[in-house]
Amino acid sequence: MEENKLNKTTDEELLRNLSSTSDSKKFFMYSPAQLAYAGDAVYELLVRSYIIHNHDINVNKMHKISVNFVKASSQAYVISKLEDELTEEEKRIVKRGRNAKITSSPKNAELMEYRYATGFEALFGYLYLSNDINRLMILFNKTVNIINEKDEKNEDN
């Protein structure tokens, strides 16, 4: 338990240090695609860190778990579950991301799932670039709980 608390603090400090090095451009000036681009990287880092800290398994199995977190359908599912907990500003960011012009076609997702996943990633990018690491970690922890609960339900069926 104490080790997980230490790891969480380390992850938060890493994110704080990285986000504080961003240029002075205001986060609201970034396009939804730029927010999603940053959010994708931040989310991937958080997922991999979470898996390493909580699963003592080989890298191949870690990859399979991470795919479950980062695929568009999971991100779309999470954002639908988080909607009532988001602030009005966060909802606006998700909407901007969801409505952004898509320049690539989704490979393994329905178009609407892909759009909501882009909104999810834009939210993570927004929180990171605006240096709101506390809120980012709160939403990431809720994301982990939502995905784990979904997986448990699927195992029961």
Side-chain angles (χ1 to χ4, degrees), residues 37-54:
Y37 179 75
D40 177 57
V42 170
Y43 183 63
E44 179 80 23
L45 178 64
L46 288 171
V47 166
R48 287 179 183 219
S49 182
Y50 164 77
I51 292 169
I52 287 171
H53 294 319
N54 292 284

Side-chain angles (χ1 to χ4, degrees), residues 23 25-40 89 92-103 118-127 129-130:
D23 75 17
K25 186 176 180 183
K26 297 290 182 198
F27 59 87
F28 56 83
M29 299 287 288
Y30 292 110
S31 74
Q34 289 172 319
L35 292 175
Y37 179 75
D40 177 57
E89 181 66 18
R92 279 194 293 277
I93 295 297
V94 170
K95 189 175 180 180
R96 279 183 64 204
R98 185 192 72 205
N99 293 337
K101 182 179 178 187
I102 295 178
T103 58
T118 302
F120 174 84
E121 291 173 344
L123 175 60
F124 272 67
Y126 160 78
L127 292 171
L129 292 171
S130 61

Side-chain angles (χ1 to χ4, degrees), residues 10 16 22 43 46 66 97 102 105 108 110 118 126 140 150 157:
T10 304
R16 280 185 208 289
S22 65
Y43 183 63
L46 288 171
S66 71
I102 295 178
S105 61
N108 297 313
E110 298 292 323
T118 302
Y126 160 78
F140 178 72
K150 180 182 171 208
N157 292 333

Side-chain angles (χ1 to χ4, degrees), residues 88-154:
E88 289 305 312
E89 181 66 18
E90 290 168 346
K91 288 177 184 178
R92 279 194 293 277
I93 295 297
V94 170
K95 189 175 180 180
R96 279 183 64 204
R98 185 192 72 205
N99 293 337
K101 182 179 178 187
I102 295 178
T103 58
S104 62
S105 61
K107 293 180 182 91
N108 297 313
E110 298 292 323
L111 183 60
M112 282 312 295
E113 284 179 335
Y114 187 77
R115 287 185 172 280
Y116 277 96
T118 302
F120 174 84
E121 291 173 344
L123 175 60
F124 272 67
Y126 160 78
L127 292 171
Y128 171 76
L129 292 171
S130 61
N131 207 21
D132 195 351
I133 306 306
N134 290 335
R135 182 64 176 160
L136 176 66
M137 294 308 295
I138 288 168
L139 292 180
F140 178 72
N141 289 328
K142 289 178 187 254
T143 296
V144 168
N145 291 335
I146 290 166
I147 290 176
N148 286 338
E149 286 172 9
K150 180 182 171 208
D151 288 347
E152 288 173 11
K153 286 180 187 176
N154 289 340

